[in-house]
Amino acid sequence: MHPNNMRIRVAGNDHQNALFAEWLDNHRGIIVKVARSFAAGAEVEDLAQEILLRLWKSAARFRGESSASTWIYRVALNRALTWQRDEGAAVSRLRPTAELAEIATTDTVDSALGLGRVYEVLRGFPEIDRSLLLLSLDGVSYVEMSEITGLSTSNVGARLSRARARLSQELEADHE
Amino acid sequence: MSEQFPNDSLRILWDDQGKDLQINDLKELTMNLQEVHRQEQRRLLWLNVQEIVPAIGMFLWFSWQGMQATTRPWAWFAAAATAFGVAAYLGATSLRQHKRELAFPNTTRGELERALSQMAHRANLYRTVTWWYLIPCALGITFVLIAAEVPANAPLTLGYAVFAIAFLAGLYRWNRKIGREKYEPKVAQLSQLISQLGAN
């Protein structure tokens, strides 16, 4: 466990805070991936903060009926899908969370290596296909995808095969 | 799933993105999120009661005036009834909406449908403001004028009427503008997302 996690004894629900810390320790990559898939540039941080807030809130409702990663994906994607760009400014005025949690941009870190391009292509997909692709890139099963999105597994499979083909085509075209 | 990436180095980069989210102070972050949550709760509470509270206030005030009045107390009570009607309508529709929202499942589809239902409810309130707010408000003003025996003075009555019409027209335009600019685009966006999900 990260040393910071040991210090979480703030007012409120300790279990909720401890679970949130555990999620951040083990699954913070999901937050990054979802934020980068649904926002670009400076807005990535705004969306990541929004997702952090929803995750923290949702920790109080988590009963372990699904895996932690399925739950986190569900919360993060639900927030990203209904998040609108103009909300970012309002959220930033509300709190200085940006000083407490920072997210590196793909432009500065690894655009040369191609991760920035993967997100650029991903953001070109309709939101639902984008969500499925994101889950697929992380190796989430069709059953879990169905659990997260509410789509039937056959519908997930059909949509995903088309979306994957297009994604591979676009990424390979860049490398040719 | 690595076949979706053109090379293994990209796969490794993809899997290693957790390190890009730097948590500088977890304790502070958690406390900050708690504070933001509290602010959000207060904002939502205000959103839900912002129309009900003045209506209840007017109901109590008019009722009190009716109990004190020596002439035409019925007009005060009638004005109180219109204010109560507005508060009751808002309370009932808010409760019904709250129940409706609880029924949606915790999936992406459910979340989108819940958000759509919430936005459509707000948009509908702004669209139908004439029926549940402006007409009762106009009736209430009329009853107050009767109670205050203003109709005996024709120029003053005319002045009040012109002011009331201008005030209500302003309220109507303002409410329709909020509905059109704030909620109707969200309804359209959410409907479009749900249509992407298609039939299951």
Side-chain angles (χ1 to χ4, degrees):
Chain A
M1 188 178 269
H2 192 280
N4 273 347
N5 297 354
M6 304 302 287
R7 293 189 283 121
I8 297 178
R9 283 293 177 266
V10 292
N13 189 333
D14 281 353
H15 172 71
Q16 179 183 358
N17 292 339
L19 192 57
F20 178 66
E22 193 188 309
W23 287 349
L24 280 183
D25 238 18
N26 301 321
H27 305 284
R28 70 173 70 177
I30 295 175
I31 301 166
V32 178
K33 290 169 196 170
V34 172
R36 285 175 172 170
S37 301
F38 284 84
E43 286 169 344
V44 172
E45 202 151 275
D46 287 339
L47 179 54
Q49 287 169 33
E50 272 295 326
I51 294 171
L52 282 172
L53 176 63
R54 301 296 146 178
L55 268 184
W56 175 78
K57 281 165 72 174
S58 81
R61 290 180 280 119
F62 183 68
R63 300 282 173 268
E65 288 154 1
S66 59
S67 71
S69 62
T70 301
W71 179 270
I72 294 165
Y73 256 122
R74 185 186 289 159
V75 172
L77 284 173
N78 287 351
R79 186 63 198 115
L81 283 166
T82 52
W83 183 76
Q84 287 191 320
R85 273 110 194 100
D86 60 335
E87 287 178 46
V91 167
S92 300
R93 273 201 304 276
L94 266 174
R95 57 205 156 116
T97 309
E99 295 159 22
L100 306 167
E102 291 170 285
I103 187 165
T105 65
T106 47
D107 312 334
T108 54
V109 173
D110 36 38
S111 59
L113 294 160
L115 206 49
R117 177 64 188 147
V118 173
Y119 281 110
E120 211 179 296
V121 174
L122 268 179
R123 287 194 295 268
F125 279 83
E127 289 90 338
I128 302 300
D129 287 354
R130 199 185 317 170
S131 307
L132 292 175
L133 276 173
L134 186 57
L135 295 166
S136 159
L137 289 171
D138 257 1
V140 175
S141 71
Y142 282 12
V143 175
E144 281 176 300
M145 284 189 209
S146 164
E147 221 178 284
I148 291 167
T149 59
L151 288 166
S152 65
T153 45
S154 56
N155 198 346
V156 166
R159 297 180 74 118
L160 207 45
S161 61
R162 284 194 298 270
R164 271 172 171 172
R166 186 182 140 194
L167 179 71
S168 303
Q169 207 176 13
E170 291 194 31
L171 290 179
E172 275 160 22
D174 283 351
H175 281 257
E176 278 168 11
Chain B
M1 295 295 154
S2 59
E3 73 274 11
Q4 288 172 77
F5 289 99
N7 56 55
D8 285 345
S9 61
L10 203 52
R11 166 90 264 175
I12 293 164
L13 277 173
W14 177 266
D15 288 339
D16 205 24
Q17 289 179 82
K19 66 171 175 34
D20 292 344
L21 177 62
Q22 182 67 40
I23 307 293
N24 297 325
D25 188 331
L26 188 55
K27 186 181 170 189
E28 276 295 310
L29 175 68
T30 312
M31 287 172 72
N32 199 271
L33 292 175
Q34 282 178 333
E35 178 52 32
V36 174
H37 173 58
R38 276 194 287 269
Q39 286 180 22
E40 210 178 58
Q41 293 287 91
R42 284 196 289 268
R43 191 180 61 81
L44 278 176
L45 180 69
W46 171 243
L47 191 72
N48 287 329
V49 301
Q50 63 181 344
E51 293 113 349
I52 297 179
V53 169
I56 291 174
M58 279 195 282
F59 164 71
L60 294 173
W61 169 250
F62 293 152
S63 300
W64 172 251
Q65 288 296 318
M67 285 187 273
Q68 302 294 310
T70 49
T71 58
R72 303 183 188 180
W74 64 267
W76 287 110
F77 288 126
T82 59
F84 181 78
V86 171
Y89 174 78
L90 279 169
T93 52
S94 298
L95 276 177
R96 199 173 56 205
Q97 179 60 23
H98 180 66
K99 273 189 184 170
R100 200 179 288 153
E101 285 173 26
L102 291 176
F104 291 108
N106 193 18
T107 58
T108 299
R109 184 189 288 274
E111 177 70 16
L112 291 176
E113 285 172 346
R114 190 193 60 77
L116 176 63
S117 162
Q118 201 173 47
M119 291 301 139
H121 169 67
R122 299 294 314 174
N124 188 50
L125 280 181
Y126 283 106
R127 196 170 40 245
T128 58
V129 68
T130 306
W131 302 104
W132 63 265
Y133 190 75
L134 297 180
I135 290 178
C137 198
L139 276 173
I141 291 172
T142 308
F143 286 129
V144 169
L145 291 178
I146 293 169
E149 298 184 35
V150 175
N153 185 332
L156 195 60
T157 308
L158 188 67
Y160 273 126
V162 169
F163 171 76
I165 289 167
F167 174 70
L168 294 175
L171 269 183
Y172 174 77
R173 287 175 65 89
W174 183 52
N175 277 275
R176 288 292 291 125
K177 189 171 183 281
I178 294 174
R180 244 192 340 265
E181 292 178 4
K182 193 172 173 187
Y183 293 102
E184 286 171 17
K186 284 186 180 172
V187 168
Q189 185 218 3
L190 289 164
S191 304
Q192 186 255 334
L193 280 172
I194 291 169
S195 75
Q196 275 187 41
L197 282 166
N200 207 349

